[in-house]
Amino acid sequence: MLLLTLAALLAVAIPSTAAFLWIVNATVVKLGTLFAEKQILFDRYRGLESLMREVSLAETVARSPAILAWAQAEDDPQKAERGLAELEHYRLSFKDKSYFIVLDGSGNYYFNDKDNTYEHARKRYTLSPENPRDGWYYKTVPLGSGCHLNVDHDDNLAVTKVWINCIITFDGKVLGVIGTGVDLSQFIREVVDIPQTGVQSIFVDRNGAVQAHRDPRLVDFHSLTKDLKAKKTIFNLVDDEADRSALAAMMTQVARSEALVQSRFMSVDGRETLVGVGYLDKLGWFNVTLMDVGQIIDRRLFAPIALLLAGILIAAAGLMTFLFKRSVLDRLARMETSVMRVRAGSFEPSDIDAKADEIGRLSRALDEMARAVGDNTNRLEIMVRERTETLEHLAHHDPLTSILNRRGFEEAFTQEQNRALRAGRHSALALVDLDDFKTINDSHGHQAGDLVIVEVVRRMSEVLRNYDTCARWGGDEFILLLAETDLAALSAIAAKLVAEIRSKPVRLDETREITVTVSIGACLVNPLESLSSAAAHADAALYAAKHGGRDTFVIYDAARHGQAGHPALRLG
């Protein structure tokens, strides 16, 4: 049975392999074409982003009233001063921090760079139609309007840049050319020479002359002044004449906006290359992208799929051989595993046998039973946890005011003392006792007394800092733990507490209100001092406050309130 199965699979595998290779090749071509379109749009965006801002600035300065006035009267000192000042203003906005302007009436060439080198000599030279190096200007002026790009090396300035030449016009008359430059090496680094496997980006002008390439030797410098046959064009890189014609047609189509992107396979340097073309309409350049699809999409990437398919065929033979094992024994083993998990206390859903036979029905019944037991167990655990949290809260908080009780305060005191010992700082302890609270209870009832206690806690909370601790120490007595507190701060806080509680009567109902005061005994606490010792000091001060007339506070002083065994505390 196994041999027959393998023979059948082999008969299917041979034509399947041929079909797989065809699908791989078709997929590579399709993915490569899609990648080409995205890459061209990406290169187009990078090119526009890098140069469009500079072009827009150059167009703006070409329309500046100060520049137009100067270009029409170059010899007027005031207009010249305003024009040069306007150029200096825009120079700081250009990315290259440089500008140039040629005034048509005189042919004078003005220039300044990012270092302001020519501040006092911005007129560099005078152009001449007889000088071949000045041919760029006399080729640009007849274009009439707009901005035009040219990659050129200026021999007078000794710089190679992508020059942005914007024609200055007024009432249809050409007054000159103004613009700026973008360093060619920087433009190539930022836009062209980005490392991408199998991808080469090239920018060419309307004639196909190479304006930006990672290999400077292929860049066509002085494109404006060269004869077409002498230019280094993108067509020189294509091997076949039919491909050159196709490339020219693609450039025409994108320039006419008949398509945003055009791409096709061509022979470049003896290799089958996917060539994509886009048009930067605002710059008058084409971005041409050469892509080696074999490098971009490695056919070896499909090897895991082939191995997976082969593995599936082999696994199919094995599965057919072990059909009985998988149909009966393995299902029973999974059920046994589920029962063992439930026995161990894990009630998570297990693999359910969905078949309609006896084993499937038994598996589903066991799973439902396990889930029912698990749900009951979870509900019980939640109830126990909530009850534990409630008891824990009741054990450490006062039920009336929700502040800490004596037990909760003892834990908070221990934690604060540990922090104070590490930080080397003192804290403070204060006992707050309601004055004549028994009279309130006797005169107005215990419910009124509870209202007073809650209101006093609220007012104390408004005075205390967020890192201080307030707890109920007894019936009408509260204890405060003030962290990182010196004698001055302790006195200020105690005075605020006394004043805040006395500030306005406590309203019991719509017709009754009473004035409440407190007496406070406080002391500084040494980081090594125990709670009983600190509480004794505070209690001694509280005793003094009570006998001093109430509605006041007293800070413990060993000399005045000294107790045996309790030496006076000193700051520092």
Side-chain angles (χ1 to χ4, degrees):
M1 183 64 187
L2 179 60
L3 291 176
L4 289 174
T5 303
L6 290 175
L9 293 177
L10 182 61
V12 173
I14 294 174
S16 299
T17 301
F20 176 77
L21 294 176
W22 179 83
I23 292 172
V24 167
N25 289 329
T27 302
V28 168
V29 172
K30 181 62 176 177
L31 291 177
T33 303
L34 293 174
F35 178 83
E37 294 176 357
K38 302 299 181 184
Q39 181 66 37
I40 293 164
L41 292 176
F42 176 60
D43 290 342
R44 182 175 182 270
Y45 170 77
R46 286 187 300 170
L48 284 173
E49 181 185 39
S50 180
L51 295 175
M52 199 57 219
R53 176 183 176 276
E54 304 302 298
V55 172
S56 298
L57 281 175
E59 287 179 332
T60 301
V61 70
R63 295 191 298 266
S64 169
I67 297 299
L68 293 174
W70 179 35
Q72 296 176 77
E74 182 181 0
D75 296 330
D76 187 321
Q78 292 183 348
K79 293 181 179 179
E81 182 180 357
R82 284 195 297 269
L84 290 171
E86 185 80 350
L87 285 173
E88 284 300 312
H89 171 73
Y90 276 92
R91 178 178 68 84
L92 300 177
S93 299
F94 286 126
K95 185 176 182 180
D96 194 54
K97 307 296 183 189
S98 68
Y99 68 82
F100 73 86
I101 183 172
V102 179
L103 299 182
D104 194 70
S106 63
N108 290 333
Y109 183 97
Y110 296 83
F111 176 81
N112 201 358
D113 60 14
K114 65 180 180 180
D115 298 321
N116 201 20
T117 306
Y118 308 107
E119 179 183 6
H120 303 294
R122 281 171 280 194
K123 177 182 173 182
R124 304 305 304 145
Y125 57 91
T126 301
L127 275 64
S128 170
E130 286 75 26
N131 186 353
R133 300 298 303 126
D134 298 334
W136 65 270
Y137 175 77
Y138 299 102
K139 291 278 188 178
T140 301
V141 168
L143 298 177
S145 63
C147 293
H148 309 274
L149 274 65
N150 180 40
V151 177
D152 201 356
H153 180 80
D154 193 309
D155 294 332
N156 293 288
L157 301 177
V159 290
T160 301
K161 296 184 178 183
V162 179
W163 295 98
I164 300 170
N165 306 321
C166 294
I167 301 174
I168 307 171
T169 61
F170 184 76
D171 290 340
K173 179 182 179 182
V174 175
L175 301 179
V177 174
I178 194 170
T180 185
V182 176
D183 183 79
L184 180 62
S185 60
Q186 181 181 356
F187 177 78
I188 290 176
R189 272 196 313 272
E190 294 178 352
V191 180
V192 178
D193 197 19
I194 295 179
Q196 288 180 276
T197 302
V199 178
Q200 187 177 54
S201 298
I202 306 171
F203 288 85
V204 303
D205 64 11
R206 292 183 177 89
N207 296 317
V210 177
Q211 301 297 295
H213 193 289
R214 66 179 58 174
D215 186 354
R217 294 173 299 179
L218 299 179
V219 177
D220 186 64
F221 299 107
H222 317 306
S223 296
L224 285 176
T225 58
K226 280 185 180 179
D227 182 76
L228 183 61
K229 294 182 179 179
K231 293 183 178 182
K232 299 177 182 178
T233 68
I234 186 66
F235 305 107
N236 297 335
L237 304 179
V238 180
D239 299 334
D240 190 273
E241 185 62 36
D243 288 340
R244 296 190 189 102
S245 300
L247 178 57
M250 290 161 58
M251 293 170 64
T252 301
Q253 287 180 335
V254 295
R256 292 175 178 173
S257 300
E258 296 176 7
L260 188 61
V261 173
Q262 286 286 317
S263 63
R264 62 168 287 173
F265 282 92
M266 300 181 183
S267 177
V268 179
D269 291 335
R271 296 175 63 89
E272 190 72 8
T273 303
L274 183 61
V275 179
V277 179
Y279 184 55
L280 286 68
D281 53 338
K282 297 183 181 299
L283 304 180
W285 279 7
F286 296 91
N287 59 299
V288 181
T289 306
L290 308 181
M291 286 158 283
D292 188 336
V293 177
Q295 292 186 29
I296 298 172
I297 305 175
D298 192 346
R299 284 175 170 78
R300 289 176 296 181
L301 296 174
F302 295 91
I305 300 177
L307 294 175
L308 178 61
L309 294 175
I312 290 174
L313 293 176
I314 296 172
L319 290 174
M320 293 176 64
T321 304
F322 293 99
L323 180 61
F324 178 76
K325 177 179 178 295
R326 296 295 303 272
S327 299
V328 179
L329 299 180
D330 289 353
R331 293 166 66 195
L332 292 174
R334 287 196 295 271
M335 288 177 55
E336 184 180 4
T337 301
S338 299
V339 172
M340 296 299 293
R341 267 204 308 269
V342 173
R343 180 186 296 175
S346 175
F347 304 103
E348 295 295 327
S350 58
D351 294 333
I352 301 175
D353 196 320
K355 292 185 178 180
D357 58 11
E358 291 80 359
I359 296 177
R361 290 196 298 271
L362 180 58
S363 173
R364 290 190 292 274
L366 288 174
D367 185 71
E368 290 175 2
M369 181 185 69
R371 275 191 277 186
V373 174
D375 291 342
N376 290 332
T377 302
N378 289 336
R379 281 196 294 270
L380 182 59
E381 289 177 350
I382 292 172
M383 293 172 62
V384 171
R385 184 165 55 252
E386 291 176 350
R387 182 61 176 167
T388 301
E389 291 174 354
T390 300
L391 293 174
E392 182 72 18
H393 186 271
L394 291 175
H396 292 83
H397 291 79
D398 175 53
L400 176 62
T401 61
S402 296
I403 62 175
L404 293 175
N405 58 16
R406 182 182 291 264
R407 179 184 295 178
F409 183 82
E410 289 173 351
E411 293 184 2
F413 182 85
T414 301
Q415 294 173 1
E416 178 57 34
Q417 286 294 80
N418 290 334
R419 283 194 294 268
L421 184 61
R422 289 194 299 269
R425 298 177 180 176
H426 289 87
S427 56
L429 193 75
L431 286 175
V432 181
D433 187 76
L434 295 176
D435 296 331
D436 298 322
F437 184 69
K438 185 176 183 303
T439 302
I440 296 173
N441 277 336
D442 293 343
S443 301
H444 301 282
H446 289 281
Q447 186 176 3
D450 290 345
L451 289 174
V452 170
I453 287 175
V454 171
E455 177 62 18
V456 167
V457 169
R458 188 192 67 79
R459 294 184 185 184
M460 287 194 297
S461 298
E462 291 181 351
V463 174
L464 295 177
R465 300 162 297 184
N466 57 3
Y467 50 84
D468 294 333
T469 303
C470 176
R472 191 171 181 185
W473 196 240
D476 60 344
E477 192 172 35
F478 303 92
I479 188 166
L480 310 178
L481 180 59
L482 310 176
E484 299 182 9
T485 303
D486 55 18
L487 185 58
L490 176 57
S491 298
I493 293 173
K496 287 182 181 179
L497 287 170
V498 172
E500 177 66 21
I501 294 170
R502 183 202 318 122
S503 62
K504 58 183 177 181
V506 176
R507 180 175 292 276
L508 302 179
D509 52 35
E510 294 181 357
T511 60
R512 294 183 301 163
E513 60 182 22
I514 58 174
T515 299
V516 179
T517 62
V518 296
S519 299
I520 299 177
C523 67
L524 293 175
V525 181
N526 189 288
L528 297 176
E529 191 170 3
S530 66
L531 176 57
S532 59
S533 173
H537 291 160
D539 192 53
L542 177 60
Y543 180 82
K546 286 288 187 180
H547 285 270
R550 295 186 173 87
D551 191 21
T552 187
F553 70 91
V554 173
I555 307 298
Y556 174 76
D557 181 10
R560 296 170 55 197
H561 319 115
Q563 295 176 319
H566 297 295
L569 297 175
R570 294 178 299 171
L571 294 177

